[in-house]
Amino acid sequence: MTALRFDPPTLPPGAEALREEVRRFLADERAKGTWSPRGDFGTHPDTAFSRLVGQQGWIGMTWPRQYGGHERSGLERYVVTEELLVSGAPITAHWIADRQSGPLILRVGTEAQKQRFLPAIARGEIFFCIGMSEPDSGSDLVSIRTKGTKVEGGWRITGRKVWTSNAHICDYAITLVRTGPQEPDRHSGLSQFILDLKAPGVEIRPIRNLAGHHDFNEMILDDVFLADDMLVGQPGDGWKQVTSELAFERSGPERFLSTYRLLAALVDRGGTAPDDRVAEATGRFVAHMWALRGMSLSIAGMLQAGETPNLEAACVKDLGNAFERAIPETARLVAPSAMPVAGANDPFETIQAEAVLNAPSITLRGGTREILRGIIARGLGLR
């Protein structure tokens, strides 16, 4: 049986100074009216704000300087990420490229791909999304049907992708495609491509969430031509590459801080002398959040050391999603009523309503609970 590891990490020297730097930047830009707090990191993309973050050197922080990066540690990136998330900053536009697409290209992309895409990502000038899930596959990526056929000079891609976050504002999508048979096992024959979302044959249709926001999309790929130089890695290596990304996708603080602003608002609503129900609920949530943060930081340390802690990352996402969804449900039950103020919106009610409407999507992104628990069970030798 594989043992779970969550070694306690140590933040590098200068981490707290960096944290203060991020806080000053956010305060200054908010004072200018550049941004306002959002309820969920996955909503309300703001490409202009992402460019400001890029100018600060906070996109591609760990990448080599020759590709536009800043050669800082993964734990420094963690500090920046944490501050951006708890403030509710609109970081969605550059999120996928910074967290997954850039590291994938850096790891298995060609030199030409690194030179072409990474510096522009780090400047916050181009944005990526992920084309994985499909209508009849859900999170079971092995069963995808989007097909790539080899032709002279490239590939013809046909199929459909769903739940593609922010495809309508992104430039490219790292897209998982079946390019070969499912032999010798069902994980064979998958490949990843850099899909230009403005290429002929690409159609993007909105999927609105319960809040009425347009974050998700359906992508229709109708005989889209992709040149050979848009293949990422080797043909047939798609599954290996996808699974190597999962620790990045599932372990970060975004997996337990999506409803942080509601927890903070609940503390404010409880005041300096909260009743027993609010005190018990907030105390329990803060303790859980601190434990999740320790687990997530531990994985950040392992990723920095070049390890692939997919099992531990699945645990963080499963526990983190349950935590994120429990906050709006509990807050609704225990929050004391406030005296209404004529002509003014109640900040707590506004944040709570947004959290409730966004909560169902929390478990979809990065793999459903069923997929995660299957990974954990296999990792522990239980199935």
Side-chain angles (χ1 to χ4, degrees), residues 27-365:
D28 291 345
E29 293 300 326
R30 188 174 178 187
K32 295 176 189 174
T34 307
W35 71 282
S36 58
R38 315 295 169 88
D40 184 303
F41 85 95
T43 62
H44 307 295
D46 186 333
T47 56
F49 184 81
S50 288
R51 280 191 285 275
L52 288 175
V53 175
Q55 290 167 13
Q56 298 300 310
W58 295 335
I59 303 176
M61 287 181 68
T62 63
W63 306 349
R65 291 188 186 280
Q66 69 188 97
Y67 302 125
H70 304 279
E71 299 186 355
R72 304 189 76 160
S73 72
L75 292 174
E76 287 176 297
R77 179 184 180 277
Y78 193 100
V79 168
V80 172
T81 301
E82 200 169 46
E83 288 303 317
L84 293 171
L85 287 169
V86 299
S87 69
I91 56 177
T92 308
H94 67 266
W95 192 256
I96 297 296
D98 183 41
R99 183 185 66 185
Q100 280 176 255
S101 308
L104 174 70
I105 293 170
L106 186 62
R107 191 169 62 255
V108 299
T110 64
E111 181 61 27
Q113 288 171 347
K114 295 174 187 176
Q115 296 283 355
R116 176 181 175 184
F117 295 109
L118 296 182
I121 290 173
R123 292 193 298 268
E125 294 176 354
I126 62 173
F127 307 101
F128 278 65
C129 58
I130 299 173
M132 289 190 185
S133 298
E134 297 189 1
D136 298 320
S137 300
S139 295
D140 180 18
L141 297 179
V142 174
S143 63
I144 64 166
R145 297 180 180 178
T146 295
K147 183 178 179 181
T149 303
K150 189 72 181 80
V151 297
E152 184 176 357
W155 300 77
R156 290 283 178 185
I157 312 295
T158 297
R160 295 168 66 196
K161 298 291 182 180
V162 291
W163 309 118
T164 309
S165 299
N166 298 312
H168 59 301
I169 60 104
C170 286
D171 303 283
Y172 300 94
I174 299 290
T175 306
L176 187 67
V177 175
R178 178 156 294 287
T179 55
Q182 292 179 283
E183 297 174 352
D185 61 62
R186 63 193 299 260
H187 299 107
S188 301
L190 296 170
S191 303
Q192 286 182 299
F193 291 87
I194 301 174
L195 171 68
D196 182 346
L197 293 173
K198 296 180 178 60
V202 177
E203 181 183 355
I204 297 171
R205 299 174 179 171
I207 301 175
R208 296 196 177 276
N209 62 22
L210 286 175
H213 300 148
H214 177 193
D215 302 314
F216 295 126
N217 297 275
E218 178 181 19
M219 295 198 310
I220 311 297
L221 310 179
D222 183 10
D223 199 30
V224 179
F225 176 76
L226 295 179
D228 283 327
D229 62 5
M230 300 298 262
L231 173 70
V232 185
Q234 297 300 313
D237 280 355
W239 181 257
K240 180 173 66 177
Q241 293 170 193
V242 165
T243 53
S244 69
E245 296 175 43
L246 295 179
F248 290 95
E249 182 178 4
R250 292 172 172 166
S251 64
E254 69 271 29
R255 297 309 176 197
F256 55 91
L257 291 177
S258 298
T259 47
Y260 172 83
R261 289 187 65 231
L262 179 57
L263 176 57
L266 178 62
V267 172
D268 290 341
R269 175 61 66 89
T272 56
D275 63 32
D276 290 345
R277 298 178 74 200
V278 173
E280 189 274 340
T282 54
R284 185 183 299 275
F285 282 137
V286 170
H288 286 183
M289 184 171 63
W290 195 248
L292 284 163
R293 181 178 185 267
M295 295 166 68
S296 176
L297 264 173
S298 177
I299 294 172
M302 287 189 269
L303 290 171
Q304 181 167 298
E307 300 177 39
T308 309
N310 286 338
L311 177 59
E312 288 82 355
C315 290
V316 168
K317 183 176 186 301
D318 186 44
L319 294 171
N321 285 171
F323 171 77
E324 289 180 318
R325 295 195 64 167
I327 291 176
E329 181 61 23
T330 301
R332 180 179 65 84
L333 297 173
V334 306
S337 300
M339 292 295 292
V341 178
N345 293 326
D346 182 336
F348 176 84
E349 299 291 344
T350 300
I351 296 171
Q352 179 176 243
E354 188 173 8
V356 168
L357 291 172
N358 285 320
S361 68
I362 289 174
T363 55
L364 290 176
R365 53 198 186 200

